[in-house]
């Protein structure tokens, strides 16, 4: 099975305290393939070239979420026969694109398929969420939800709504990787700590973030893309206020805006990771050219995924995506 990564268009961090967010699944995928094993439950993380025995009591921290998923499925659906699970992904890691959630979703769905039991998408998302809690501490649940269902997802306090918006073809979301990895759990903790220290200052910022999400959906539905971009930049301003931007993010953002993007913001936890810009498609190449000349080597034109987790197509992981790296 494969499961998509995501970007948050509006509302990251604010969503952790129950405000809404709007996210979009994108055509970058984590993949999990399960075959019958001999006598153990073996995980092979292809990108790390790591082999992990999930039955062992002493497995590295980063693989504990997969052990948790296996335990939950054993308990709820009956004991899983020995297997070899191969995991791989082309979603940038620790970059705000939901790579851990997508991997958890793909692994959960492939295990349930392997068991041959009946399940709903909601079951996959719920189990992957338990794994995300081990990875990130206090996640809102938006990452596993978007990866499970695909498309545009409005998420508020655990409730979801799939927003049926057709992405207008003459606009592109361009993503530039700062190349700075960060730990989502840590950044979320810092923000919550700032909230606790300045609740009266922070509350109106969170309220404003909520209005931005509601307004953005109306504008997207009306095809008012320039204003959607403007709201992205306002949303970014609020993210600066809660302390999750940094110099690289700001440098990328200003370069995008100077080259014609309608709006730009960090996405996900911030303090590194990916910066996204919304731009008419005829400006994309010059934005990418400028950022590459500034030394940002990983640039992507993102395309929406509308399926969520699904069997892997034969044509491979990269379909529909262009990643440019200079020679
Ligand atoms: C991470 O992709 C988004 C955050 O809002 C954390 C979360 O919602 O769990 C920063």
């Amino acid at each position: 099975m494969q499961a998509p990564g995501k970007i948050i268009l509006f509302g990251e961090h604010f969503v952790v305290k129950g405000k809404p967010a709007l996210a979009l699944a994108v055509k970058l995928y984590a993949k999990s393939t399960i075959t019958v094993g001999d006598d153990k439950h073996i995980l092979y993380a292809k990108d790390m070239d790591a082999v992990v025995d999930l039955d062992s009591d002493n497995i590295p921290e980063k693989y504990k979420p997969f052990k948790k998923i296996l335990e939950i499925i054993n308990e709820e659906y009956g004991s899983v026969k020995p297997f070899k699970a191969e995991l791989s992904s082309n979603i940038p890691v620790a970059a705000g694109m939901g790579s851990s959630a997508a991997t958890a979703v793909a692994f959960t769905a492939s295990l349930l398929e392997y068991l041959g039991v009946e399940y709903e998408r909601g079951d996959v998302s719920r189990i992957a969420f338990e794994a995300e809690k081990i990875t990130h501490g206090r996640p809102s649940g938006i990452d596993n939800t978007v990866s499970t269902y695909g498309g545009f997802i409005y998420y508020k306090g655990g409730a979801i709504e799939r927003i049926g918006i057709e992405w207008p073809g003459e606009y592109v979301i361009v993503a530039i990787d700062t190349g700075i990895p960060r730990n989502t759990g840590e950044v979320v903790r810092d923000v919550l700590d700032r909230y606790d220290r300045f609740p009266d200052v922070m509350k109106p910022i969170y309220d404003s973030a909520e209005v931005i999400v509601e307004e953005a959906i109306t504008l997207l539905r009306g095809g008012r893309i320039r204003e959607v971009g403007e709201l992205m930049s306002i949303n970014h301003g609020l993210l600066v206020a809660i302390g999750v931007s940094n110099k690289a993010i700001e440098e990328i953002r200003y370069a995008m805006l100077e080259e014609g993007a309608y709006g730009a913001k960090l996405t996900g936890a911030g303090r590194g990771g990916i910066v996204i810009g919304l731009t008419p498609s005829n400006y994309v190449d010059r934005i990418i050219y400028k950022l590459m000349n500034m030394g940002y080597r990983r640039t992507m034109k993102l395309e929406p995924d509308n399926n969520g987790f699904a069997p892997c197509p034969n044509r491979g992981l990269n379909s529909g995506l262009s990643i440019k790296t200079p020679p």
Side-chain angles (χ1 to χ4, degrees), residues 15-275:
V15 70
V16 174
K17 283 191 92 68
K19 296 297 185 188
L22 181 67
L24 176 65
V26 296
K27 286 185 174 174
L28 287 163
Y29 296 99
K31 192 173 165 186
S32 167
T33 311
I34 300 202
T35 49
V36 179
D38 300 329
D39 58 348
K40 289 184 172 157
H41 300 99
I42 299 292
L43 196 69
Y44 171 48
K46 199 173 170 191
D47 307 329
M48 304 283 160
D49 200 19
V51 179
V52 180
D53 174 3
L54 290 179
D55 300 321
S56 153
D57 288 333
N58 192 18
I59 65 174
E61 220 41 52
K62 67 196 291 191
Y63 299 110
K64 287 191 175 156
F66 301 101
K67 189 177 172 74
K68 179 75 182 175
I69 290 169
L70 177 59
E71 281 168 4
I72 295 173
I73 292 181
N74 270 330
E75 205 177 296
E76 291 187 12
Y77 292 88
S79 95
V80 184
K81 291 203 189 76
F83 61 73
K84 286 181 207 146
E86 181 178 306
L87 304 182
S88 60
S89 170
N90 66 353
I91 306 168
V93 175
M97 299 195 78
S99 76
S100 63
T103 312
V105 167
F107 180 63
T108 303
S110 64
L111 263 189
L112 291 170
E113 285 290 322
Y114 178 67
L115 255 180
V117 292
E118 284 198 9
Y119 63 93
E120 314 255 329
R121 278 186 186 263
D123 296 318
V124 172
S125 187
R126 172 178 56 81
I127 295 168
F129 185 40
E130 294 306 313
E132 280 286 274
K133 285 181 192 165
I134 296 178
T135 312
H136 294 314
R138 279 184 62 181
S140 62
I142 191 167
D143 289 12
N144 47 284
T145 303
V146 180
S147 186
T148 297
Y149 294 95
F152 280 97
I153 298 280
Y154 173 90
Y155 183 93
K156 187 175 178 184
I160 56 171
E161 192 184 330
R162 207 153 173 223
I163 310 273
I165 304 166
E166 275 292 307
W167 184 254
E170 61 278 32
Y171 301 98
V172 169
I173 295 173
V174 61
I176 311 289
D177 196 346
T178 58
I180 304 170
R182 75 281 171 290
N183 178 312
T184 298
E186 246 171 61
V187 185
V188 168
R189 269 195 301 281
D190 284 357
V191 172
L192 293 173
D193 177 59
R194 182 175 281 192
Y195 193 101
D196 288 345
R197 287 182 296 116
F198 297 102
D200 295 345
V201 176
M202 296 287 266
K203 189 171 176 302
I205 297 175
Y206 278 61
D207 291 343
S208 177
E210 174 158 25
V211 180
I212 289 175
V213 174
E214 306 298 347
E215 202 138 333
I217 292 171
T218 308
L219 293 174
L220 271 167
R221 286 203 162 115
R224 290 161 63 184
I225 303 300
R226 184 183 282 275
E227 288 153 286
V228 173
E230 207 172 332
L231 284 185
M232 282 170 67
S233 292
I234 298 174
N235 190 151
H236 180 79
L238 302 185
L239 291 164
V240 172
I242 65 171
V244 298
S245 190
N246 67 11
K247 202 170 163 187
I249 291 171
E250 296 306 323
E251 179 175 87
I252 293 171
R253 239 178 60 72
Y254 279 102
M256 283 178 166
L257 296 172
E258 276 162 23
E259 294 305 315
Y262 285 169
K265 66 183 277 292
L266 68 85
T267 182
R271 296 209 184 136
I274 297 281
V275 181

